[in-house]
Amino acid sequence: MCRLGTRVGACLTLGAALGAWVLLGAGSNPKVERGKYLVEQVCMCGDCHTPMTPKGEPDMTRWLHGSSLSFTPKMPIPDWVDQAPVLAGLVGYTDAQVLLILQKGLKDGKPLRPPMPHFRFNQEDAEAIVAYLRSLKPPPRPASKR
């Protein structure tokens, strides 16, 4: 009888450990998790780069798929951007380009256009953001017209 109790206890312990492993994100990439935290909680990238629902909430089915900005400056600002680009998947960008944007605030050798902030991330955080954005599925491409 003791052996059966020991086996049941061992199975329950193993089951609990596996359950915790799954719930806590076993196999998750710490770099991607750091990048997710920076994108979602620090930079708040979704505020501009995610379309909103009619209720004014981020459309999570199109997370970081680019969006028209819902705000404008009160006074004209030269080079103001009214469309935030797609970030999910970083399609069309090299890692080096994105690292330069995140570390120096430069795109194609020029300062980022307003309202995009000029971030100054260190190498490790910039690489984490790139890893997270690359992990996201980009929006589907529009069907080509024939």
Side-chain angles (χ1 to χ4, degrees):
M1 192 71 156
C2 278
R3 285 186 180 172
L4 180 60
T6 303
R7 287 182 186 162
V8 170
C11 287
L12 289 174
T13 302
L14 179 60
L18 287 173
W21 186 63
V22 169
L23 289 174
L24 295 175
S28 66
N29 181 330
K31 184 182 266 192
V32 170
E33 292 301 317
R34 173 79 178 152
K36 179 179 180 177
Y37 164 74
L38 291 168
V39 166
E40 294 181 5
Q41 303 300 317
V42 176
C43 302
M44 309 296 288
C45 301
D47 287 356
C48 294
H49 293 270
T50 299
M52 297 292 166
T53 66
K55 291 182 178 182
E57 299 166 341
D59 181 349
M60 298 310 286
T61 65
R62 298 187 296 158
W63 177 245
L64 300 178
H65 285 190
S67 180
S68 295
L69 296 181
S70 61
F71 58 91
T72 57
K74 287 190 175 222
M75 298 177 62
I77 295 178
D79 292 329
W80 180 266
V81 176
D82 59 359
Q83 182 74 28
V86 174
L87 297 181
L90 294 176
V91 175
Y93 293 96
T94 66
D95 288 1
Q97 288 172 317
V98 180
L99 291 172
L100 191 60
I101 289 169
L102 294 170
Q103 293 181 290
K104 307 272 186 201
L106 298 173
K107 181 179 179 195
D108 301 325
K110 297 177 186 170
L112 295 172
R113 295 170 50 194
M116 182 65 185
H118 294 203
F119 294 113
R120 297 290 189 266
F121 286 102
N122 64 34
Q123 184 76 22
E124 184 179 359
D125 285 345
E127 288 174 355
I129 291 170
V130 169
Y132 171 64
L133 295 175
R134 289 254 183 244
S135 77
L136 301 175
K137 184 177 178 182
R141 286 199 221 175
S144 62
K145 297 177 183 176
R146 292 186 180 200

